[in-house]
Structures are given as C-alpha cells and as structure tokens.
C-alpha cells in the first residue's frame, strides 16, 4: 500500500467516525486486533470501546467537525495533526455544557497493517487548551517560570 493510500484510508476513517458517526463502516477499515489509546482515557480500548467513545463525544458535541490539518505517512505509520471543532452541548467526561465553540488540537499516530487495516490509533489531545477555552484553567505559575 502506498503512502498516499494509507493517508486516504486514515482520512476516510476520521470522516466516517468523528464527522459522520458511521461507525460500522469505519470498523471495516480496522484490523480485528484494533487498539485505541487516548490521552483522555485510562486504558487502551478495542473497536467496541472506541465506538462507545466516539458516540459519547458526538452526542455531547452534535456539530463536531474534525479537520485534518496535516497528514504524513512513513512505513506503516501515518501521523495526523487535527483540530476538533464544536460546542459541548451535553455533559461528557466530567465537563459541563458550554455555549463556547471549542477548537481542540490533537496529534494521532496510526499504525496500519501491510494490507492497510488500521491496527492501532494513539491520540494526544490538548486538554490544557480545552480547559482554558472552557474557563477551567486554574494552573498556578511554576516557581521561576513566568507564564
């Protein structure tokens, strides 16, 4: 599978899951050994667990749009830099609803099998930025470091 084909597959997965909620179709792009790791969850999830997370986020943020800002491919890896844009309309993951439009940065590393199935997805979200946008930024300055 070429680097461009791997990038197309990842872009399609993002569109089907986060943007459209077409989880059954997205699951067809995943390996049966698929694992999801995210900075906002405590343990790796299988495909069913990933689908639950996507449903929860989409229910809380019905207008969610994930924009892939950059997509790079090398070997069996694809790296995406994305922005999640939406308004938190219902409580989720301990956050209360807000009328603010959030723009949350995310970096993801995707591992694909030689046939192009998505084997692993690891995502790091800028939760500090999300907290700040929601007015939850309560960090104390570090001694000696101006913020």
């Amino acid at each position: 599978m070429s680097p461009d084909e791997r990038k197309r597959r990842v872009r399609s997965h993002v569109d089907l899951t986060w943007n459209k909620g077409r989880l059954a179709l997205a699951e067809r792009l995943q390996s049966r050994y698929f694992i999801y790791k995210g900075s906002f969850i405590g343990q790796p999830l299988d495909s069913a667990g990933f689908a639950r997370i996507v449903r929860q986020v989409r229910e809380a943020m019905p207008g969610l749009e994930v924009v892939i800002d950059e997509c790079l491919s090398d070997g069996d890896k694809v790296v995406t830099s994305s922005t999640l844009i939406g308004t938190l309309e219902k409580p989720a993951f301990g956050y209360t609803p807000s009328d603010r439009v959030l723009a949350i940065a995310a970096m993801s590393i995707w591992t694909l099998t030689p046939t192009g199935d998505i084997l692993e997805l690891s995502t790091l979200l800028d939760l500090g930025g999300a907290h700040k946008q929601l007015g939850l930024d309560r960090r104390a300055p570090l001694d000696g470091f101006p913020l």
Side-chain angles (χ1 to χ4, degrees), residues 19-145:
N19 293 335
K20 295 180 179 168
R22 307 284 308 268
L23 300 172
L25 286 175
E27 189 173 5
R28 292 181 179 177
L29 301 176
Q30 299 168 1
S31 161
R32 67 179 179 180
Y33 304 108
F34 175 82
I35 295 293
Y36 175 72
K37 300 173 186 174
S39 60
F40 64 98
I41 56 173
Q43 61 190 21
L45 301 173
D46 62 9
S47 185
F50 173 71
R52 280 192 304 274
I53 293 288
V54 172
R55 277 193 293 277
Q56 285 178 306
V57 171
R58 287 182 46 78
E59 286 173 13
M61 299 177 82
L64 176 68
E65 181 180 359
V66 176
V67 177
I68 297 177
D69 304 311
E70 184 141 16
C71 187
L72 306 169
S73 178
D74 186 31
D76 66 346
K77 303 285 190 219
V78 174
V79 177
T80 55
S81 170
S82 306
T83 305
L84 291 74
I85 303 166
T87 301
L88 188 62
E89 295 181 13
K90 296 180 182 175
F93 305 105
Y95 297 101
T96 57
S98 170
D99 60 352
R100 298 177 185 194
V101 176
L102 304 175
I104 304 168
M107 292 293 296
S108 297
I109 300 172
W110 308 70
T111 304
L112 281 68
T113 66
T115 58
D117 291 336
I118 299 166
L119 182 61
E120 185 173 302
L121 169 57
S122 298
T123 299
L124 177 64
L125 290 172
D126 178 13
L127 295 177
H131 291 169
K132 191 170 188 173
Q133 291 175 64
L134 289 168
L136 303 174
D137 191 29
R138 298 184 202 123
R139 294 180 302 143
L142 299 173
D143 289 339
F145 291 97

